[in-house]
Amino acid sequence: MKTKTASQPTTVQAKNISGAEAVIRCLLAEGVDLVYGYPGGAIMPIYDELYKFQDQLHHVLTRHEQGATHMAQGYARTSGKVGVAMATSGPGATNLVTGIADAQIDSTPMVCITGQVASHLLGSDAFQETDIIGISTSVTKWNYQITKVSEIPSILAKAFFIARSGRPGPVLIDITKDAQFDFFDFEYVPCTGIRSYQSDFPIAQDALSQAATLINAAKKPLIVWGQGVILGEAEAAFKTFVEKTGIPAAWTILGLSALETDHPLNMGMVGMHGNYAPNLLTNECDLLIAIGMRFDDRVTGSLDTYAKQAKIIHLEIDPAEVNKNVMVDVAVLGNCKDSLEQLLPHVQPLELTAWKARFHELNAIEEEKVIQKDLYPTKEGLTMGETLRVINEHSGGDAIIVTDVGQHQMVACRYAKFNQSKSNVTSGGLGTMGFALPAAIGAKMGAPKRQVIAIIGDGGYQMTIQELGTIFQQRLDVKIVVLNNEFLGMVRQWQQLFFDKRYASTEMINPDFIAIAKAYGIAAKCVDQREELSPAIATMLNTPGPYFLEVRVEKEDNVFPMIPSGASVSDIRLE
């Protein structure tokens, strides 16, 4: 699961410089050329130095600190680099916490730098003093408070090493104001290892041998892969493994795009709103091969009934995830790229004609009962599914799709087409509404040559709508599609199905989204008729610069299939 910076960190020295300047020199030594943040009193010395280095280090002024973390996440997810966010003390630091928690559960490499009151004021409830170390401990891979200027180089070197190594994650470094002002002789030495912290593991050959034996003997095997394939840069090895063995493969939402959507062995998504066949057949397979995924509850449903008939192989880099939720028969610990490459010579092509036919049989049922109705509706109003179908027709599967959280997220993950990896950017484990708009900004800056389309619900959009100001100031070519059903759609669906249609606090009275977009200098259009949809999407994609498209969709459409919360994957409902 290693990620890479633009260049290898380098050793740097400088005589008698301030701690604030040292921070900037550390970032440059790590190959950082882009930072997202919001200034304030306790981090002002660093921003003053940033001003002096602005020709080498581009700072993006966000409109809220939470937006800075989501932008750093989007940047990391599309570039493969470590995202960097900065904020001041107190509320500036606490506003980072949601994005940090999101990055932690979704294994996104990020370094957050916060300013802090002077060290002699710590613990005195000084103005804008908050114990951000205590607050963030449970949602960071590592955090540390710097109170002495001499600590800055070594701590920031460790921060980047920890953030990117092993299973990636967010690191927060809090720096007191006096440490920023003080002077010292600076030397930056890149971190290549930390005693007691093991980020890589040698592949156990006996585990590989056991795994190969199970694979070669399987009659009904199923692969479920997650984001570890992408983070480990294992896409090529994974595709070769799938094609050599001929095993049907399904993905978690963060694994989406590691294998092209239209690959004949790509059987779709597992989980609560996943595809019918891979969910049902999880409880029929004789071998489940989990690659770079963590058996999240949205994937497994009831653990009491999950794949009890199957032998289970788990390829995973984080030992804490092995046997945490699901007991496995063989665990192959290490980067899944290394594991797959070493496993490949030992596996054989399998004869799975009847087993694959079972997938196609169930796929046909879902196609008839769900997919055709979603993509080619006969009802008068527009649907989320057909909007994604038309986007696919115009993008050709080459766009990066950034989604928020809710019904539109599940629809986009189910129907968006992807031809290359690092194309699906979404909030997985934390389910953070408000993620998509700022994450799309970061995604575009991380992959500036690619088309970036944000698919957002009207609820989540309004949680970070202020980041339209960042798009306006940066003049970013981000396309924004709001699927407006005037509801908090996923909550409303649950209220309909499980709470007798008591729509408590889920109906939205929305503003004029078009007027708001235009106020930020963003071209905008609203459609609610089927004949308008394709021309509007074509115009959006062909218009230089940012574009906002509101699509008014059916208010009470539901997303199926669906596994009720806590139910077995075998209890998946098509309606």
Side-chain angles (χ1 to χ4, degrees), residues 51-232:
Y51 180 84
K52 301 172 186 176
F53 285 85
Q54 59 186 297
D55 59 331
Q56 300 176 62
L57 188 57
H58 178 53
H59 178 267
V60 175
L61 175 63
T62 66
R63 296 307 186 260
H64 191 282
E65 291 89 353
Q66 180 181 343
T69 54
H70 293 327
M71 289 177 205
Q73 287 178 273
Y75 175 83
R77 295 270 285 274
T78 60
S79 70
K81 304 174 185 177
V82 177
V84 180
M86 298 199 306
T88 193
S89 64
T94 58
N95 281 344
L96 299 176
V97 172
T98 296
I100 293 171
D102 195 287
Q104 172 78 340
I105 200 165
D106 282 355
S107 305
T108 304
M110 181 166 68
V111 170
C112 294
I113 298 170
T114 54
Q116 184 55 274
V117 300
S119 55
H120 73 278
L121 293 173
L122 291 173
S124 70
D125 292 331
F127 177 67
Q128 290 191 336
E129 181 198 357
T130 299
D131 178 14
I132 193 60
I133 296 300
I135 289 170
S136 65
T137 294
S138 65
V139 294
T140 49
K141 191 175 176 185
W142 183 59
N143 64 11
Y144 188 88
Q145 184 176 76
I146 294 174
T147 58
K148 297 179 180 178
V149 66
S150 59
E151 296 180 298
I152 288 175
S154 62
I155 295 301
L156 281 176
K158 287 182 181 179
F160 278 90
F161 176 75
I162 292 171
R164 71 163 69 91
S165 61
R167 178 181 178 178
V171 172
L172 182 140
I173 304 301
D174 192 45
I175 310 176
T176 60
K177 199 167 184 178
D178 51 318
Q180 297 173 49
F181 274 126
D182 288 346
F183 283 74
F184 74 126
D185 290 339
F186 170 80
E187 181 178 22
Y188 189 80
V189 179
C191 180
T192 57
I194 301 171
R195 195 176 71 174
S196 79
Y197 169 59
Q198 186 173 2
S199 59
D200 292 312
F201 300 87
I203 308 301
Q205 296 305 306
D206 59 336
L208 281 181
S209 178
Q210 293 172 44
T213 299
L214 289 176
I215 292 167
N216 292 334
K219 303 300 181 185
K220 297 189 293 183
L222 171 63
I223 295 168
V224 177
W225 87 84
Q227 189 185 201
V229 173
I230 297 171
L231 294 174

Side-chain angles (χ1 to χ4, degrees), residues 24 90 102 117 136 202 224 240-242 253 256 266 274 277 288 317 319 361 369 403 429 438 447 510 540 543:
I24 304 303
D102 195 287
V117 300
S136 65
V224 177
T240 302
F241 176 78
V242 170
I253 63 170
L256 176 56
N266 187 335
L288 181 64
I317 199 168
E361 169 193 332
K369 293 192 173 183
T403 50
N510 290 321
M540 174 184 72
T543 299

Side-chain angles (χ1 to χ4, degrees), residues 125-390:
D125 292 331
F127 177 67
Q128 290 191 336
E129 181 198 357
T130 299
D131 178 14
I132 193 60
I133 296 300
I135 289 170
S136 65
T137 294
S138 65
V139 294
T140 49
K141 191 175 176 185
W142 183 59
N143 64 11
Y144 188 88
Q145 184 176 76
I146 294 174
T147 58
K148 297 179 180 178
V149 66
S150 59
E151 296 180 298
I152 288 175
S154 62
I155 295 301
L156 281 176
K158 287 182 181 179
F160 278 90
F161 176 75
I162 292 171
R164 71 163 69 91
S165 61
R167 178 181 178 178
V171 172
L172 182 140
I173 304 301
D174 192 45
I175 310 176
T176 60
K177 199 167 184 178
D178 51 318
Q180 297 173 49
F181 274 126
D182 288 346
F183 283 74
F184 74 126
D185 290 339
F186 170 80
E187 181 178 22
Y188 189 80
V189 179
C191 180
T192 57
I194 301 171
R195 195 176 71 174
S196 79
Y197 169 59
Q198 186 173 2
S199 59
D200 292 312
F201 300 87
I203 308 301
Q205 296 305 306
D206 59 336
L208 281 181
S209 178
Q210 293 172 44
T213 299
L214 289 176
I215 292 167
N216 292 334
K219 303 300 181 185
K220 297 189 293 183
L222 171 63
I223 295 168
V224 177
W225 87 84
Q227 189 185 201
V229 173
I230 297 171
L231 294 174
E233 299 179 343
E235 295 93 338
F238 174 69
K239 184 175 181 178
T240 302
F241 176 78
V242 170
E243 292 179 342
K244 181 177 181 180
T245 59
I247 299 174
W251 37 269
T252 70
I253 63 170
L254 292 181
L256 176 56
S257 84
L259 184 68
E260 59 265 35
T261 312
D262 290 333
H263 192 284
L265 290 170
N266 187 335
M267 297 302 171
M269 179 168 70
V270 292
M272 180 171 283
H273 290 285
N275 292 102
Y276 193 50
N279 272 310
L280 273 183
L281 297 183
T282 295
N283 281 355
E284 293 185 25
C285 67
D286 62 3
L287 177 66
L288 181 64
I289 307 166
I291 304 176
M293 55 87 74
R294 59 186 180 85
F295 293 107
D296 176 75
D297 65 297
R298 285 295 175 98
V299 167
T300 65
S302 170
L303 288 172
D304 292 337
T305 59
Y306 183 77
K308 292 301 182 182
Q309 78 296 334
K311 296 288 187 181
I312 299 177
I313 299 169
H314 195 184
L315 276 62
E316 173 59 43
I317 199 168
D318 185 356
E321 295 296 345
V322 176
N323 294 324
K324 184 178 81 172
N325 296 327
V326 173
M327 298 300 293
V328 304
D329 296 277
V330 179
V332 182
L333 196 61
N335 185 306
C336 62
K337 180 177 186 290
D338 299 333
S339 301
L340 287 168
E341 288 176 345
Q342 293 185 40
L343 186 58
L344 269 169
H346 305 289
V347 297
Q348 303 166 1
L350 302 177
E351 174 49 57
L352 303 172
T353 303
W355 177 235
K356 292 174 188 175
R358 182 82 172 112
F359 281 88
H360 298 316
E361 169 193 332
L362 295 174
N363 286 342
I365 294 172
E366 183 181 355
E367 182 76 25
E368 177 186 355
K369 293 192 173 183
V370 178
I371 295 174
Q372 284 297 313
K373 294 176 183 178
D374 283 349
L375 301 187
Y376 301 95
T378 57
K379 60 184 70 175
E380 182 178 340
L382 293 170
T383 67
M384 291 180 282
E386 70 177 311
T387 305
L388 265 296
R389 172 180 60 80
V390 176

Side-chain angles (χ1 to χ4, degrees), residues 11-13 38 46 77 99 154 160 210 272 295 316 328 403 410 414 416 461 496 506:
T11 300
V12 180
Q13 294 179 324
Y38 205 98
I46 293 175
R77 295 270 285 274
S154 62
F160 278 90
Q210 293 172 44
M272 180 171 283
F295 293 107
E316 173 59 43
V328 304
T403 50
M410 296 295 101
R414 283 174 53 80
Y461 180 58
Q496 176 184 335
T506 47

